[in-house]
Amino acid sequence: MSESSAELAVSVAEVGKVFPARKGGGVSALEAVSVDIAAGEFVSLIGPSGCGKSTLMRLVADLDSPSSGTITVFGKSARQARRDQDYGIAFQQAGLLPWRTVRENIELPLQLHGVGKAARRARASELIELVGLGDFGDRHPDQLSGGMQQRVAIARSLAESPRLLLMDEPFGALDEMTRERMQTELARLRAETGAAVVFVTHSIPEAVYLSDRVVVMSPRPGRIVQVLDMKLGGAEDRTDALREDAHFFERVSAVREALHGDPASAARARGAETR
Amino acid sequence: MKRLRGALLGIAGIVLLGVLWEGYKALAPAIGVKIGAITVLPRTSDAAMPHLATMLQRALDPVTAAAGSPPLWTAVLQASLFTVSIAAVSWVVGVIVGFLIATLMQRFRTAESALLPWVVLSQTVPLIALAPLVKRWGSLVHFGAFDWQDWMSVALIASYLAFFPVSIGALRGFASPEPAHLDLMRAYGVGWWRTYLRLRVPASVPYLVPALRLAAANAVIGTVVAEVSIGLSGGVGRMIIEFAQTGSSDPAKQWAPIFGAVLVGLVAAGAVALLGLALHKYRRNEVTA
Ligand SMILES: Nc1ncnc2c1ncn2[C@@H]1O[C@H](COP(=O)(O)OP(=O)(O)O)[C@@H](O)[C@H]1O
Ligand SMILES: [Mg+2]
């Protein structure tokens, strides 16, 4: 295996995905998508809804398989990476099991993979502290706010210390205040764990604030329009002060322009919307 | 608080029933209410509708005039115990069979398409009506020291009625996890068995509890009726028939085993309610508890 591919967390090469449609043909959700994500890198996927962000993430997670092209995760096939538990995953809906307490939810992946009771307990306590849910370990999900539930989901995704985190709009259902706080915490967690992150969002400031690079996508079929470097410094620089920074605003505008600015792609997007 | 209110309402319901009984007996004509030749409301004579106090008094008296005959209420209680035991066995068998069938249907698509129509059709065959046949088939079963007993025919018929709601409820429950939860299990790389154990079974509980309640009702009704049609003595079903035959000379006596049957039903319902409480952590997102 070559040196460079060993450093890659995710490599997506010429990937296409066609969903079978009811009336013959099919829905082309992704077309010729190529992107490489380095180990420890934070990459956001942004684009209007329906542009295939979730689909791309599901392909990386091997929850679905591509119609064409190849995906490798840490130099292995996506399937092998899933089997080896190389990634942790979190969705927009926290997806906690309602009959399990916070602690038991966080322990779920460990329990499923045969980790002993004591080790499980220790790890869960650690994660509960890490995501700031100190007193809530024995609560059930229905006793928690949306933000707290999402923290539990993130703690669960970190349970097995994966080197790759896949997050599909994890803060999408949260109010703006909670959302910003969660972003700050995610930046901190990421700095502490050093994991690579693939982060799906449709919030421009969120993408800019968190990412090393932002992948801008266009809909129908889902394509990569542009990949923008954020150059906002390392994970330790993602503080609240960054949100007031001129460079931050400059990058927000850059992403916005990539999303809407280019007249040709804007026309394409409108055409797709009215169809 | 809510439970206390429920209990009070239950007691109020029973009292109301008693008041209605005595009120109707006091106010309606002795020959009942007739439209033309058809009696639309029952007679109120002591033979048809004994006073509640008479029934109670009769329950305390011995079963028969013979010396050493036990008080009627102990005989009824014993018969109720007998019936509730058979119903419990039927319920357990029905629940296990129903659960296994649902599991098989969940595991294999082909099993679902092959079994589900039969499961549904099974309830159109009135096995109770075939009780004598069941008894005959049973009498053909011998292996080793094992001999088929009549109570087993009764239990078989009752469990036949009990398994149905469980299989349907469990099947729906096993299919109830959200797609996101199934994705999660797939992301964890776990196969069918652990997904079943950790996700599908716990998620099925809200569907299972009402099914278990129905199964209990079916098991009780099945047992009481099958006792009669098989001719198994010892339980309340048979006792109701026996005492009804002495109805003209001793009208209050036949009410005792009827109350016994009601008691059996209450015990069964209570047991399932307790089970539902024990499973409460799996029922957190049920709207009505
Ligand atoms: N399972 C599926 N079956 C058919 N079409 C799908 C399926 N999943 C997604 N799609 C289609 O693929 C496109 C991309 O969807 P998705 O990846 O969910 O978009 P996004 O997450 O960017 O909003 C949409 O047009 C959607 O309708
Ligand atoms: Mg999506």
Side-chain angles (χ1 to χ4, degrees), chain A residues 142-153:
Chain A
D142 58 332
Q143 297 169 307
L144 305 182
S145 68
M148 284 153 87
Q149 290 186 21
Q150 208 50 257
R151 280 168 209 251
V152 180

Side-chain angles (χ1 to χ4, degrees), chain B residues 4 8 14 28 62 98 104 116 175 178 201 205 215-216 227 231 239 272 276-277 289:
Chain B
L4 185 71
L8 285 177
I14 292 172
L104 207 64
L116 194 55
E178 298 162 28
V201 171
V205 170
E227 273 176 13
M239 194 180 247
V272 176
L277 283 182

